[in-house]
Amino acid sequence: HMDEESGKVVHNNASTDADPTPKSITPMGGFPHYGHVNEDFILLKGGVFGGKKKHVMLRKSIVTPTYGAASEKLDIKFIDTSSKIGHGRFQTFEEKDKVL
């Protein structure tokens, strides 16, 4: 997305307006059976069929959808980046180092 103040493109950033902490989208320890996300990403609402690393092709719809879910504006307040293995309670390594 674009950073409004400086006009710079922000890549691989999981911070939101409600949670401005700069952090990577990759959970602490990586995604189980996938690893770390180093490139740009797209958040998809709902599920995607197929294997974990299967490519997903996105295309523009031929007919513009008019139903409610297609036109709603999503307001993402928080992206959980705690560990997905075990009992993850820290969002960043800095937060973990302060406590331990």
Side-chain angles (χ1 to χ4, degrees), residues 12-16 18-32 35 37 41 43 75-93 95:
N12 201 358
N13 191 0
S15 61
T16 60
D19 179 30
T21 307
K23 56 187 176 180
S24 174
I25 191 68
T26 304
M28 292 181 59
F31 286 101
V37 176
F41 60 91
L43 291 176
D75 184 28
I76 300 173
K77 294 184 177 24
F78 179 74
I79 298 175
D80 183 22
T81 57
S82 63
S83 177
K84 303 303 174 216
I85 302 170
H87 302 288
R89 62 181 182 159
F90 303 110
Q91 295 294 317
T92 61
F93 287 106
E95 182 181 334

